Amino acid sequence: MEQISVSPVFVGRGTETTALTAALRRAGEGRPQAVLIGGEAGVGKTRLIEEFLDSACAPTVVTTLGGCLEVGAEGLPYAPLATALRRLHRRLGAELERAAEGMEGHLARLLPDFGATDAEPNDEFSRARLFEHTARLFERLSAERTLVLAVEDLHWSDRSTRELLAYLIRTLHRSRVMIVATYRSDDLHRRHPLRPFLAELDRLRTVQRLELARFGRGEVAEQLAGILGTATPDRELVDRIHRRSEGNPFFVEELATAHQDGCVAGMTDSLRDILLVRVETLPDETQRVLRIAAEGGSYVEHALLAAVLDEGEEPLIEALRNAVGSNVLRPDTDGEGYRFRHALVREAVSDDLLPGERYRINRRYATVLEENSALVCADTRPARLANYWYHAHDPARALPTALDAAREARRRNAFAEQLRMLERALELWDGVPPEVQQDTLRPYDWAETYPPCSCDPGTHDDSCYQLCLVDVLAEAVVAARRSGDRERGLSLAKRALKQVDEQENPERAAWFRMHRSRMLGHLHRSGGDEEIAHALRLVAGLGPSAVQAEVFALAAAHAMLGHPTAADVARAERAVEIAREVGAAGVEQHARMTLGSLYAHFGDPEAGVALLADAVEKCGPLGAADVYCRGLNNLASLLLGLGRAAEAETLARRGLEAAGSTGLLANTGAILTGNLAEALIALGRPTEAAEVLADWVGGPGEGAFHEFLDRLRAELALDQGDVTAAAAFLGRAREAGRIAQQPQHELPRVWLAMRIADRDGRPLDARAELLAALDARVERHAASSGQLADGGSGWLLPVLAEGAAIEADTRGLPAADLGRPVVLRRIEEAAAGLDPKVPLHIGWARMLEGELARAQGADTPAHWSAAVEALRASGLGYPLVLALYRGAGAAASAGQREAAAGLLREARELAAARADRHLQREIARLAERVGLVLDARPAERPAAPEPAETLGLTPRERDVLRLLALGRTNRQIAEELYISPKTASVHVSNILAKLEVGGRGEAAALAHRLRLFPEGELAPTGA
């Protein structure tokens, strides 16, 4: 009688099935979903997936399945995606090929059927391009149907697979795609790499976690009924199996099969015995085949297994038939090999081997695979071979295969797996003869500008040994940086520097110092400046080389983002010369881009823009997509700072398009998005800017300038009058603090913080922000002996103008009056060193002059006319509407009502176009205060009411507000007006409500800003 161990009836899991079905429905509606199914080994994750995929089959749904393979410490790079795509290819054929058009080069790294990959660049950004093209493929495939991607055994996934899945989950937000993945939760120890991956995905609203629980007794009874073919299994048997299996469905199956076989004596509470009980009942030859198959990995090809055994096809088929019939092995769905029924069975069989037996089997696998590479897929061969030789304990053979596997992983942009193989090579290094070491390394194609070992292969001494080891360390450093494991990269670089004699090999030492600086910067740690300085000293006296050019270019670029000096300009120019001389074209254009930004910073913006634009155009033929995107980003940022927002918008969009087409969105997408949103804000298109920010979804990459985006979100919230939300976004940006030392981000944050504090009724906090920024500026100048250039006019002038405006608004407040002279003097000193060149900066300088005069009570319409004239030329709305508003106030005070009305009408239109609710309210209040009806004809204008009356204040409330503006407490107000403190408190509350302000300080500031009282009324009375 045929025996079965798997219940033909699907037991339980009603809640999970409902959740999966609902997720599939949402995905079909264009709301992509991800469901992560966890559970201990044997709890039924695979069965749930199989049942769901079977039920999901429909004309409007296509499903595919891939599994992670257990090979070494982690799985093969992208193994489940490669399997899933291969199955899709077999099912869809030409349709899949059409969907991949234009992206075959990178997609071939997942599925070699797409063609060769050699034509595509292989750099640290290649992985990002692969991710982007994979997402685009899924978008195209799901245009007309729902696509379900199932991935099994995520706990064995390699890092690259996890990051690609995370990228798909994050970016496929408008596609009909559902991703289902399973993982073994009992394998997730505290340091398991899957833990942070799951925690990160938990924060996404499209991700749902399901945890499969063990079966209860009733479900175990149903499972046993299906396995035994009886409606009511014996109660005692159910109780015993439920107790011993503890509800694990796989263990239930094993115990039920053992019961059917009468193998009661072999059953114990030991998991290993339960797992091996069925294996041990098989014929000896079948057990021997299973032991050999277990060392082949989670999946072993039939042809490979046959070659390893080399005993004829018939005996192998018979043994495999027994193994499959007993459900220890199962044929792979593609029909090319076998998998163990459960990975725990394979582990148990493997663990039962003697050490010498394991070494021999792995050596046999390696030997056979070297003799006939066609026995396995080409994309898995290097890693498989490396693992076989490693477990065969043959370092001389394991080292070169580990390096081959590392090279293949790099070719496929699987940098984490490349690093793992390189670290294995380092582990094996001491057990390999020197001649094997060097012969192994000689064909290795070293990345970037690193100078490889060039010693004579016929001679090997200790120094040669060290240099060859440093070669491996160098490649590992690059792999660590590209994979994002910068902590490990720092450690590897430190180890390499101990091996390098700086006197004999200064270029190599400089190369490692340069990479340490980059990684320290990405980790936001100190020490990067010192590493660059050390690298500069090492290459200073050497002849021209690619390393020297890159060190000079890196030093100049690092300084450009902070506070450059004239020496940095010279260094960038020298980097360009050296790179051109040695033929390092990518480094040359990178350095020219830095040089263009430096020219603009040092007072020649037109020359800077021209040089940067030329460098961008020359990147095209080089195929250096990363440098090209960097240039577009820098050029957009530079033009934006110069007030040329329309051009900046065009370049930012061009940069985003280029980044998307080359898979670099994860690396440069955030900052390009920020530049685009900032340009739209400057152009008075806040709704579009908000949409751009809302649509941005970050990739797998790090250092994505999220602080920049949060600052822009705060800008939009503040313009909408939501001070609380603005403060929250700003706090988040400052807390991250990744780019705090870059003036182009630091000073706008200071300006924003000042405006938030001012509108929140905290003018002294705004003053503190200003003084802290000025103190830092003075310290930098002192540290550089005054060699810093003041090229940041576009960033500093708005900060100074805002500081002067706040001082003007708080005239008469005792707490603010005390330190005002010092603050105004500091502002004037900072402005004295600035030399604005472009209309926007000149307009801000005129604004500053007007605010300084207003702070002294001496501004005139002429001050603001000068600002308006300069700002009209810039074409930007925000500073212009502010200048018009200030000019209207000055004109009204001078009795020029017609002029004031005209300025206010124009200001109102601009503020409305920008959706700036704050300025709209301020403009309306000023119009009411001076009695201007902006929509009425001159003959219809009523007589001007008292300023305070326009705000709905009673005479008594006006008296209270005047004293409040002088800084009086409620008790002091009560004493001066001969009322009770409680009555004074009520008046103050009414005033705050009518003025729509949040506190006493903001009410006082508003009274001063709107000039509700004559100057004499707000003069301190000596109290």
Side-chain angles (χ1 to χ4, degrees), residues 710-790:
D710 279 337
R711 194 257 294 172
L712 296 176
R713 294 183 181 106
E715 294 272 3
L716 291 171
L718 190 62
D719 287 345
Q720 291 294 306
D722 192 342
V723 177
T724 302
F729 280 124
L730 177 62
R732 198 163 73 180
R734 283 187 153 177
E735 183 179 358
R738 295 181 178 178
I739 46 179
Q741 300 305 312
Q742 298 181 20
Q744 62 177 319
H745 297 287
E746 179 184 6
L747 289 174
R749 283 203 300 267
V750 171
W751 183 29
L752 178 60
M754 292 170 64
R755 285 180 285 157
I756 290 173
D758 180 44
R759 296 184 193 180
D760 200 30
R762 299 180 286 109
L764 294 184
D765 289 347
R767 177 188 287 178
E769 292 277 358
L770 170 67
L771 293 177
L774 294 180
D775 288 342
R777 181 173 176 272
V778 170
E779 289 176 7
R780 286 192 294 267
H781 272 268
S784 66
S785 301
Q787 296 302 308
L788 289 177
D790 273 315

Side-chain angles (χ1 to χ4, degrees), residues 482-823:
R482 289 175 171 176
S483 68
D485 193 353
R486 296 181 177 92
E487 288 282 5
R488 185 60 184 145
L490 284 174
S491 176
L492 290 165
K494 182 178 181 180
R495 177 181 173 185
L497 285 168
K498 291 180 179 179
Q499 301 284 339
V500 175
D501 186 326
E502 292 188 349
Q503 300 299 319
E504 294 184 6
N505 295 282
E507 273 194 0
R508 288 192 168 198
W511 188 91
F512 283 108
R513 296 285 179 186
M514 178 174 59
H515 280 270
R516 277 183 60 82
S517 174
R518 285 174 171 163
M519 288 183 284
L520 286 169
H522 280 290
L523 291 169
H524 321 302
R525 293 184 187 169
S526 60
D529 292 342
E530 291 77 7
E531 294 290 351
I532 289 178
H534 197 143
L536 285 170
R537 290 195 298 271
L538 288 170
V539 301
L542 303 180
S545 69
V547 173
Q548 186 186 61
E550 190 171 14
V551 170
F552 285 177
L554 177 64
H558 187 79
M560 177 199 75
L561 294 175
H563 307 280
T565 66
D568 297 305
V569 178
R571 187 169 289 125
E573 291 173 338
R574 181 60 180 145
V576 173
E577 294 173 3
I578 297 170
R580 187 173 298 154
E581 181 178 348
V582 300
V587 177
E588 177 189 351
Q589 301 312 321
H590 194 283
R592 293 181 75 227
M593 291 170 184
T594 299
L595 189 58
S597 297
L598 288 172
Y599 283 167
H601 190 88
F602 279 81
D604 195 348
E606 293 305 321
V609 169
L611 180 57
L612 187 48
D614 184 67
V616 167
E617 295 307 318
K618 287 183 177 175
C619 278
L622 299 178
D626 56 323
V627 182
Y628 178 66
C629 289
R630 183 223 178 198
L632 288 171
N633 170 68
N634 286 7
L635 185 54
S637 180
L638 176 58
L639 291 171
L640 189 57
L642 296 175
R644 295 159 63 174
E647 296 173 72
E649 177 197 356
T650 301
L651 286 164
R653 292 190 186 278
R654 181 176 160 193
L656 284 168
E657 182 180 354
S661 64
T662 56
L664 294 177
L665 277 177
N667 296 275
T668 61
I671 193 166
L672 283 164
T673 296
N675 282 333
L676 175 57
E678 192 167 28
L680 293 171
I681 292 172
L683 292 169
R685 292 150 62 187
T687 302
E688 291 180 59
E691 291 173 353
V692 166
L693 292 173
D695 286 344
W696 168 251
V697 180
E702 291 186 5
F705 289 90
H706 296 295
E707 305 88 342
F708 182 20
L709 304 186
D710 279 337
R711 194 257 294 172
L712 296 176
R713 294 183 181 106
E715 294 272 3
L716 291 171
L718 190 62
D719 287 345
Q720 291 294 306
D722 192 342
V723 177
T724 302
F729 280 124
L730 177 62
R732 198 163 73 180
R734 283 187 153 177
E735 183 179 358
R738 295 181 178 178
I739 46 179
Q741 300 305 312
Q742 298 181 20
Q744 62 177 319
H745 297 287
E746 179 184 6
L747 289 174
R749 283 203 300 267
V750 171
W751 183 29
L752 178 60
M754 292 170 64
R755 285 180 285 157
I756 290 173
D758 180 44
R759 296 184 193 180
D760 200 30
R762 299 180 286 109
L764 294 184
D765 289 347
R767 177 188 287 178
E769 292 277 358
L770 170 67
L771 293 177
L774 294 180
D775 288 342
R777 181 173 176 272
V778 170
E779 289 176 7
R780 286 192 294 267
H781 272 268
S784 66
S785 301
Q787 296 302 308
L788 289 177
D790 273 315
S793 298
W795 307 316
L796 183 57
L797 279 168
V799 174
L800 298 178
E802 188 68 30
I806 292 171
E807 295 303 322
D809 290 339
T810 55
R811 289 182 64 232
L813 289 179
D817 287 342
L818 186 60
R820 181 169 297 108
V822 174
V823 176

Side-chain angles (χ1 to χ4, degrees), residues 254 271-281 345 348-349 352:
E254 296 298 312
L271 171 62
R272 180 171 169 276
D273 286 346
I274 292 177
L275 293 170
L276 290 177
V277 64
R278 186 185 303 176
V279 174
E280 292 172 348
T281 63
V345 178
V349 172
D352 205 38

Side-chain angles (χ1 to χ4, degrees), residues 156-283:
W156 285 330
S157 62
D158 58 285
R159 181 173 175 176
S160 294
T161 293
R162 292 193 295 273
E163 291 178 346
L164 178 51
L165 284 175
Y167 185 83
L168 294 174
I169 292 171
R170 288 177 178 274
T171 57
L172 293 174
H173 52 280
R174 292 192 181 91
S175 304
R176 298 167 60 187
V177 175
M178 179 179 178
I179 297 175
V180 187
T182 67
Y183 62 91
R184 191 189 293 176
S185 56
D186 54 340
D187 273 3
L188 303 188
H189 53 78
R190 286 185 300 173
R191 297 184 179 180
H192 196 286
L194 191 63
R195 278 187 176 273
F197 171 83
L198 295 174
E200 184 68 23
L201 292 184
D202 271 345
R203 295 198 286 267
L204 302 179
R205 61 179 179 81
T206 58
V207 176
Q208 184 178 5
R209 287 272 292 273
L210 301 178
E211 191 73 20
L212 297 191
R214 296 174 179 176
F215 280 169
R217 186 189 180 282
E219 292 166 317
V220 169
E222 289 183 45
Q223 186 181 5
L224 283 173
I227 294 172
L228 301 176
T230 177
T232 56
D234 180 77
R235 177 180 294 272
E236 182 180 350
L237 176 65
V238 172
D239 289 340
R240 184 172 73 249
I241 290 183
H242 176 248
R243 182 180 68 253
R244 297 176 78 90
S245 69
E246 296 183 339
N248 184 294
F250 174 68
F251 298 162
V252 171
E253 294 171 357
E254 296 298 312
L255 291 169
T257 302
H259 168 76
Q260 288 178 302
D261 291 339
C263 188
V264 179
M267 291 186 291
T268 70
D269 290 329
S270 165
L271 171 62
R272 180 171 169 276
D273 286 346
I274 292 177
L275 293 170
L276 290 177
V277 64
R278 186 185 303 176
V279 174
E280 292 172 348
T281 63
L282 295 172

